Amino acid sequence: MQSSIINADTSKPFGRKFSNTLYRKNNLFLFLLLTPPLLWFGVVYLGSLFALLWQSFYTFDSFSMAVSNDLTLENYRSLFDATNFDIILRTLTMAVAVTLATALIGFPIAYYMTRYGSRAEKGFFYIAVMLPMWASYIVKTYAWTVILSQQGILYWCINHLGLSGALNHVLQIPAIGGNTLATSNLGRFIVFTYIWLPFMILPIQAALERVPTNLLQASADLGAKPAQTFRRVLLPLVFPGVVAGSIFTFSLTLGDYIIPQLIGPSGLYIGTMVYTMQGSVGNMPLAAAFTVVPITLIFIYLSLAKRTGAFDAL
Amino acid sequence: MTAIPDVFTAVEFSIVSKHYGDVRAVDNVSIAVAEGEFFSMLGPSGSGKTTCLRLIAGFEQPSIGSIKIFGKEAAGTPPYEREVNTVFQDYALFPHMNVLDNVAYGLRVKGIAKPECYKRAEQALEQVALAEYGKRKPGELSGGQRQRVALARALVNKPRVLLLDEPLGALDLKLREQMQLELKTLHKKLGITFIYVTHDQSEALSMSDRVAVFNRGKIEQVDTPRNLYMHPKTSFVADFVGTSNVINSAMAQQLTGQNQPFSIRPEHIKLGTNEFNDKQNDIIKVAGEVVDIQYHGATSKVEVSVGNQMLFMVLSNTELSEAELPKISQRLNLCWSKSRMVMLENQAS
Amino acid sequence: MLFKTKKNQPSAPIWLKTLAYGGLVFLHVPIAVIVINAFLVSDGSHTHFTLHWFHAAFAREDVMSAIALSLKVAAFATSLAIIMGTMTAAALYRRNFFGKEAITTMLILPIALPGIITGIALLSAMNILDITPGFLTIVVSHATFCVVMIYNNVVARFRRMPHNLIEASMDLGADGFTTFRFIILPQLATALLAGALLAFALSFDELIVTIFTAGHEVTLPIWLLNQLSRPRDSAITNVVAMMVMLVTAIPIIAAYYLTRGTESIAGSSR
C-alpha cells in the first residue's frame, strides 16, 4: 500500500508533489515560510543592531580621532559624565512631558469620537487623526518652523490678541523659556506634542471601542454617577490603551534628532548627540553607547507597560 | 485486519488515536463503515466525533493507528487526493465566489473543461432546487439555501463517501426536520456512504442505519438506532440516547439484590397503586417524593427523589386530569416491570 | 450641525465637544499653513493667490529627481515587504510554537525602536561590510520597517478568515498552490492592498533612517530637510511640501476605506 502511494506521487507534476510533501510535513512548510523573513530580520536587522552594540565597547582616541578595536567600558562610564548625563536627563524629561501632554489632549478626542460620535462623525474623526499622523514628518516640522517664527501666525495672533506681554512672561520662565518661541523649550515641546499626538489617540480610541456600552449602563444601573463610572469602570479598562499609545510617544521622542536641531534651544538631545558623534566627530563607540540609553529606557518602559496589558491594546 | 482489502468496507479505523499534547481527542477507536451505509457519529461536544470525521477527510493525521478508505491506507494522502467530500458545519462557502462558481470549484480545480464544469454544477444546483440562484453570492442566501449549496458543491464531485459535519446545526427546527428527510431521500437515491456527525440523538436515531456513540474520545457502542435505544450497553449510552434513568450499582443492590447498574426509561415507570400485587416478583417498587413537575403539553414530566437518586417519569395528560396529577412534595409509590430494565456494564465512573 | 447625533445617546457635554474639536484644529493648523503658503506669493507689501510656484517646482530638476527616487524606493521596499510580511503572517497566524512571540517582537522592533537606532545600526553594518550606501541600502532599510505594516494587516485578515475555507478547498480537490491562488489570495486582497498602501506611504515619507542609509542619494524628505537651510527658496519648499502631503494622504484614505467593514467580506458565508 505504502509503496503504491509513493509510486503514484512520482508520476505527478512537481507542484503537486511539492504540495503533498508540505501537507505531510507541516513543519517543513512553516520552515520554508519563515526562512526569508527570519534571515532578513535575524541576520540583516538584528545583526546590524549587535554590530552597533559591539562597537560601543571599542576605544576612541580623542587625539588621533581614530577608533581602535581595544575593548573598553569607558564609553559607558562617560555616559555618566555631567554633560552627557544632562543630555540623557533633558531628553527623558521631554519624553515624559510629551507623553503626559499627548495623553491629556488625546483622551478627550478619542473619548468623544467613540462615545458620542455618530458613524459618519467617527469616520471623519478617524481620517482627521490619520491624515496628520501620516503626513510627512519633515513637512509637519517645517510647518512648525514657519508657524513659530517671529513673522509666523502664532506671533501674529498673540500680538493681535494683545497677549504679547503674557508671552514674554512665559518665555522668561527658566526651564521652558527662551528668546523666542522657536528657540524655547516650550516651542520644542509643542512641536513634539503635535507630531506624536495621533500615535496616542488611535490606541486609546481602539481601547475605548472595545469597552462594551452595556458595562457603562450596568454601572449606571448600579447607582454610579457618570464621574464614578468613568473613574472606576471606564478608566481601568482603557488604561492599557493609554499605555500602548505612550509607548510610541515616549520612544519616538526619546530617539528624535531632527526636531531638537530645528526648534528649541541649543542643548543636545540623545538623538542629536548620537548623530553628531557618529557624523561630524566620528566617535562611533560613544554614539553606539548613547544608543544603548534609549534602548534600555524603552525596554524598561515596555516591561512596565506589559504588566498593564498594553500589548493586547496595541 | 485482512491482507486483502474488503470491498464492502468504505472506511475502516483500526485502533486510531489522535492526541493534541496531553489531550486524547480520539482514543483507540476502531470502526468499519460499510459501503452505502448511513453511518452517524453521535456524542456531546468534545467527544471526538468531529475529529474522527476530520481524520477521514484528511484535515488531521492520526497519531497512532491506520485509517483505510476503500481498503487503501489514507495516512499521508492529502484531502485533495481522497475520494471523500465534506459538507461543513457552517458550510464554508467561498464568500468571494457566486453560488455557481462555488459548486463548480471542485470540478474546475481537477482540470475539467470549463463548459462541462458549469453544466454539471448547474445540474447539481437543480438537484437541490436552487437552479436560479447560481449568480448570487453566498452572503445573499438564507441558512437553508446555503446548506443546499454546500451539499451540491460536495456531491457534484461524485464522492464515494460524503462526510457531513453537523450540517443542520444552524437551522431552525422546522427546516431541520425537512432537511433530515431530504438527506435521507438523497442517500437512498445516490447509494453512496454517508458519514454524519451530530450531537442530536433524535436526528441520529431517525436517519441512520447505524450509530456510533462517542464519549471522551472513545466509542461507547456502535449499533442500530433501535438497539441503541432498547439495549444500551453503558450508562452513558442509556443516558445520552433518549432520556433514561440510570440506576447506580448501590441502589441496584437494594432494589434487585444485584450489584449491576441498570437503566429504566421514564415512560416505563408507572404510578404504584393499591391494586398492585405484592406477589408479582417481576415488579420493582420504590417510594419517593415529588420534587418537580414540568408540563409538556401531551405529557407531564415528574421528577421524583428516591433515596439519593432522582427518577424521571412521564405521565399522560390525556389520561390523567389535573387533579389526579401528583403535587410537589407529595409522596409517591412507583413501580416498573423488571423486563423493562436494561442491564448496563459495570463502570468505574 | 455637521453630524447627526447617535440615537438613544445623550449628546456630549459641551466642554468635551470643544476639547475634541479643538484637538482636531490643533492637528490641522500646520497642514493648513502649508497648503495656504503653497498658493500665496508675497511681493514685499501684499500677498496674493498664485499657481506660479507649482510650475517653478516642476521645472526644477532636483525636485523631480528626488520625487522619482522616493517613488522608486517606496515601490521596491513595498514589494519586498509584501512578500515577507505575507509569508510571516501565513506562518504565524494559526500556529503556536516556541519563539513565535520573539518573531513578532522582532518585526515590531524597527518601528518600536527610535529610527536613529535602526539607521545608525544599518549604517555601521554597511561600514563593516564595506557596502557603499545608495539606492539598494535605502530599499533594504525601508523594507525592514515596512514588513510589519503588511504583516499586521494580513495577519488580521488571516485570523478573520474562517479556516474551513481552506479545508473546503482542499476537500474539493485543490492542492496547496491552487487553494492559495483561488481562495486565500482573493480573501487577502484588500488587506494586502491596504497594507501595501500604508507601507508605501511610510517609505515615501521616511527621513530618520534614510539619512543614514542614503549616502549621497537625495530622497524627497532629505531634499525637504536640506531646503530648511535655504529660506530664500521657501516658496518652492511650500509647494513640494504640499505635494508630499497629497501623495501620502491618498493612499492613507484608500487604505482606510479598504479595511473598513471587512468583516462583511471575510465572514459572509457564516
Side-chain angles (χ1 to χ4, degrees):
Chain A
M1 272 305 119
Q2 203 60 47
S3 64
S4 78
I5 287 172
I6 292 163
N7 286 339
D9 253 22
T10 51
S11 61
K12 286 168 190 160
F14 174 74
R16 174 56 69 99
K17 267 191 286 179
F18 189 52
S19 174
N20 288 4
T21 312
L22 294 185
Y23 165 82
R24 275 172 220 142
K25 299 204 171 7
N26 217 328
N27 286 332
L28 173 70
F29 184 43
L30 193 70
F31 176 78
L32 286 179
L33 279 177
L34 279 177
T35 303
L38 280 185
L39 276 180
W40 187 292
F41 278 85
V43 177
V44 176
Y45 185 63
L46 287 188
S48 304
L49 280 182
F50 281 116
L52 177 67
L53 289 187
W54 186 246
Q55 289 181 62
S56 68
F57 297 105
Y58 283 180
T59 310
F60 178 73
D61 187 340
S62 51
F63 292 108
S64 62
M65 304 288 271
V67 178
S68 66
N69 293 3
D70 307 325
L71 300 186
T72 172
L73 285 171
E74 174 59 24
N75 299 309
Y76 287 97
R77 199 207 50 77
S78 71
L79 289 181
F80 295 95
D81 287 350
T83 44
N84 289 344
F85 201 67
D86 258 4
I87 294 173
I88 295 169
L89 275 186
R90 189 181 299 142
T91 317
L92 192 59
T93 314
M94 182 58 91
V96 172
V98 168
T99 299
L100 290 177
T102 50
L104 284 177
I105 302 172
F107 200 96
I109 301 177
Y111 188 68
Y112 177 80
M113 73 187 273
T114 33
R115 286 285 151 228
Y116 297 101
S118 62
R119 204 183 136 75
E121 196 174 16
K122 216 181 260 182
F124 167 76
F125 263 78
Y126 192 73
I127 290 186
V129 174
M130 283 290 273
L131 280 185
M133 172 165 160
W134 284 90
S136 169
Y137 166 87
I138 185 65
V139 169
K140 287 183 289 190
T141 313
Y142 167 66
W144 276 102
T145 61
V146 175
I147 293 170
L148 292 178
S149 73
Q150 269 165 313
Q151 300 81 42
I153 55 159
L154 200 55
Y155 269 97
W156 186 83
C157 287
I158 287 169
N159 287 334
H160 276 71
L161 294 170
L163 293 172
S164 43
L167 177 70
N168 282 334
H169 275 294
V170 172
L171 287 179
Q172 272 157 23
I173 301 172
I176 60 170
N179 284 334
T180 63
L181 267 175
T183 57
S184 68
N185 264 322
L186 179 64
R188 186 181 284 164
F189 167 77
I190 292 173
V191 177
F192 267 132
T193 305
Y194 170 83
I195 300 258
W196 308 133
L197 178 58
F199 291 85
M200 179 61 95
I201 296 174
L202 292 180
I204 299 179
Q205 185 258 342
L208 278 165
E209 204 74 68
R210 276 195 287 266
V211 178
T213 322
N214 61 12
L215 280 188
L216 308 183
Q217 286 162 348
S219 168
D221 182 70
L222 293 167
K225 295 190 188 73
Q228 287 172 313
T229 302
F230 181 85
R231 202 166 62 81
R232 290 177 182 272
V233 180
L234 194 71
L235 210 51
L237 287 173
V238 179
F239 191 67
V242 180
V243 176
S246 74
I247 293 172
F248 291 111
T249 57
F250 185 76
S251 158
L252 291 168
T253 313
L254 218 48
D256 200 293
Y257 66 97
I258 304 282
I259 292 171
Q261 281 180 53
L262 297 175
I263 291 148
S266 53
L268 285 169
Y269 267 49
I270 294 178
T272 44
M273 180 70 180
V274 171
Y275 190 65
T276 352
M277 277 301 138
Q278 75 83 30
S280 44
V281 180
N283 186 348
M284 195 62 174
L286 186 59
F290 250 102
T291 60
V292 175
V293 176
I295 293 178
T296 313
L297 287 174
I298 285 159
F299 272 101
I300 292 171
Y301 195 79
L302 285 180
S303 62
L304 291 177
K306 200 160 192 172
R307 289 196 203 159
T308 67
F311 282 32
D312 304 321
L314 274 175
Chain B
M1 271 123 285
T2 46
I4 306 150
D6 184 357
V7 285
F8 298 107
T9 307
V11 176
E12 185 179 4
F13 276 50
S14 312
I15 27 178
V16 170
S17 292
K18 174 72 187 173
H19 307 161
Y20 298 103
D22 291 339
V23 184
R24 292 169 167 241
V26 173
D27 194 2
N28 269 329
V29 165
S30 296
I31 28 173
V33 181
E35 188 163 9
E37 194 174 18
F38 197 125
F39 188 88
S40 284
M41 305 210 252
L42 173 68
S45 60
S47 61
K49 55 188 194 307
T50 299
T51 309
C52 275
L53 198 79
R54 294 172 58 80
L55 285 167
I56 302 171
F59 306 142
E60 313 273 352
Q61 293 287 312
S63 310
I64 316 170
S66 120
I67 297 170
K68 287 182 179 167
I69 300 175
F70 293 106
K72 232 168 69 181
E73 178 58 52
T77 310
Y80 46 85
E81 291 183 352
R82 299 187 181 206
E83 289 173 292
V84 299
N85 284 116
T86 309
V87 176
F88 287 83
Q89 184 170 12
D90 39 18
Y91 319 131
L93 300 179
F94 306 127
H96 57 290
M97 299 180 185
N98 68 26
V99 167
L100 192 64
D101 284 330
N102 260 284
V103 178
Y105 183 81
L107 303 172
R108 302 255 356 237
V109 298
K110 286 189 195 82
I112 294 168
K114 213 168 164 181
E116 175 69 13
C117 290
Y118 285 108
K119 205 183 92 199
R120 284 206 237 160
E122 271 162 13
Q123 284 167 356
L125 277 179
E126 244 164 67
Q127 227 175 23
V128 294
L130 285 173
E132 60 272 39
Y133 288 84
K135 288 278 164 271
R136 297 214 192 165
K137 286 280 174 74
E140 299 162 356
L141 301 183
S142 72
Q145 288 167 335
R146 283 182 216 180
Q147 214 283 318
R148 287 155 193 268
V149 175
L151 199 60
R153 187 177 70 172
L155 288 175
V156 78
N157 302 289
K158 300 210 178 0
R160 293 178 76 184
V161 179
L162 183 69
L163 308 175
L164 301 108
D165 185 8
E166 309 224 12
L168 309 181
L171 304 181
D172 60 45
L173 184 66
K174 225 165 178 155
L175 202 56
R176 198 156 68 215
E177 283 170 349
Q178 186 197 333
M179 283 306 296
Q180 285 173 11
L181 211 69
E182 284 184 27
L183 280 176
K184 191 77 196 137
T185 322
L186 198 64
H187 174 249
K188 273 196 196 121
K189 198 175 108 193
L190 297 172
I192 62 171
T193 312
F194 275 36
I195 298 181
Y196 192 98
V197 161
T198 180
H199 64 267
D200 181 341
Q201 47 98 8
S202 75
E203 197 169 279
L205 294 188
S206 66
M207 299 173 75
S208 322
D209 296 325
R210 282 195 307 150
V211 179
V213 182
F214 279 75
N215 182 32
R216 296 182 187 173
K218 289 183 192 287
I219 289 189
E220 296 265 335
Q221 190 173 353
V222 185
D223 226 324
T224 61
R226 174 167 289 270
N227 277 345
L228 277 184
Y229 192 82
M230 301 304 290
H231 308 291
K233 280 198 184 127
T234 66
S235 52
F236 179 83
V237 176
D239 196 40
F240 196 78
V241 179
T243 359
S244 205
N245 295 296
V246 175
I247 310 294
N248 62 33
S249 48
M251 192 162 167
Q253 178 83 45
Q254 283 177 21
L255 296 175
T256 65
Q258 278 176 296
N259 194 16
Q260 194 181 10
F262 63 87
S263 79
I264 178 84
R265 296 278 169 203
E267 61 268 31
H268 294 145
I269 301 181
K270 302 283 178 239
L271 280 175
T273 48
N274 294 333
E275 69 226 44
F276 243 122
N277 188 346
D278 260 331
K279 285 162 199 157
Q280 275 182 281
N281 57 4
D282 61 339
I283 298 287
I284 299 279
K285 296 210 287 186
V286 292
E289 190 182 309
V290 178
V291 177
D292 192 25
I293 303 175
Q294 294 157 18
Y295 179 75
H296 286 274
T299 58
S300 285
K301 192 172 164 190
V302 185
E303 203 177 324
V304 185
S305 147
V306 178
N308 55 4
Q309 272 207 289
M310 287 290 172
L311 294 186
F312 291 98
M313 63 184 300
V314 177
L315 295 177
S316 163
N317 286 337
T318 49
E319 286 168 25
L320 296 174
S321 71
E322 200 180 347
E324 286 171 302
L325 277 172
K327 308 284 175 291
I328 287 177
S329 73
Q330 185 186 331
R331 291 201 63 81
L332 276 187
N333 289 318
L334 308 175
C335 65
W336 60 80
S337 161
K338 268 190 178 174
S339 62
R340 296 295 192 185
M341 292 172 6
V342 178
M343 292 305 170
L344 304 171
E345 287 166 7
N346 243 326
Q347 278 181 326
S349 63
Chain C
M1 206 164 173
L2 192 55
F3 297 103
K4 272 183 258 170
T5 44
K6 238 183 194 173
K7 275 173 202 156
N8 311 324
Q9 184 127 38
S11 55
I14 193 76
W15 59 267
L16 181 63
K17 206 167 178 171
T18 314
L19 281 180
Y21 275 94
L24 279 201
V25 171
F26 174 56
L27 282 175
H28 287 268
V29 164
I31 292 176
V33 166
I34 291 291
V35 174
I36 294 167
N37 276 344
F39 290 104
L40 292 182
V41 63
S42 170
D43 48 1
S45 52
H46 58 283
T47 25
H48 54 90
F49 177 87
T50 179
L51 288 174
H52 165 74
W53 298 115
F54 283 84
H55 292 290
F58 282 117
R60 290 264 300 255
E61 204 177 305
D62 56 338
V63 175
M64 294 321 283
S65 74
I67 292 177
L69 177 64
S70 278
L71 287 176
K72 222 161 64 181
V73 166
F76 275 90
T78 305
S79 314
L80 274 171
I82 285 177
I83 295 167
M84 279 192 295
T86 311
M87 286 176 104
T88 321
L92 299 188
Y93 84 104
R94 221 168 154 255
R95 301 264 307 241
N96 262 319
F97 52 89
F98 177 76
K100 179 176 163 174
E101 212 171 310
I103 297 176
T104 49
T105 311
M106 206 160 71
L107 292 186
I108 300 172
L109 224 47
I111 56 165
L113 285 181
I116 188 167
I117 295 174
T118 304
I120 202 171
L122 290 173
L123 176 66
S124 69
M126 287 186 284
N127 286 342
I128 292 168
L129 299 177
D130 219 7
I131 299 168
T132 322
F135 176 74
L136 216 61
T137 53
I138 310 178
V139 170
V140 167
S141 63
H142 283 202
T144 304
F145 54 73
C146 284
V147 169
V148 71
M149 290 287 140
I150 307 279
Y151 170 78
N152 276 347
N153 267 276
V154 173
V155 86
R157 180 64 58 82
F158 258 129
R159 286 195 182 121
R160 270 207 297 267
M161 184 176 85
H163 186 71
N164 63 14
L165 293 185
I166 297 171
E167 288 177 351
S169 167
M170 294 211 161
D171 184 74
L172 292 167
D175 62 19
F177 301 106
T178 317
T179 301
F180 181 76
R181 161 93 178 70
F182 291 107
I183 306 298
I184 301 177
L185 207 54
Q187 294 284 318
L188 296 184
T190 50
L192 265 176
L193 187 54
L197 288 168
L198 293 179
F200 191 92
L202 190 67
S203 164
F204 189 75
D205 260 0
E206 217 298 324
L207 173 66
I208 309 267
V209 176
T210 319
I211 289 181
F212 291 98
T213 56
H216 297 295
E217 300 281 345
V218 178
T219 64
L220 197 51
I222 293 181
W223 182 87
L224 277 164
L225 181 68
N226 294 342
Q227 283 301 102
L228 297 193
S229 52
R230 296 184 201 118
R232 291 175 62 197
D233 210 14
S234 72
I236 302 276
T237 313
N238 286 331
V239 166
V240 176
M242 200 199 86
M243 287 191 301
V244 171
M245 260 182 337
L246 261 181
V247 170
T248 42
I250 293 163
I252 298 311
I253 294 175
Y256 168 72
Y257 280 102
L258 279 173
T259 47
R260 201 181 54 154
T262 39
E263 298 88 283
S264 60
I265 296 171
S268 62
S269 80
R270 279 161 177 264

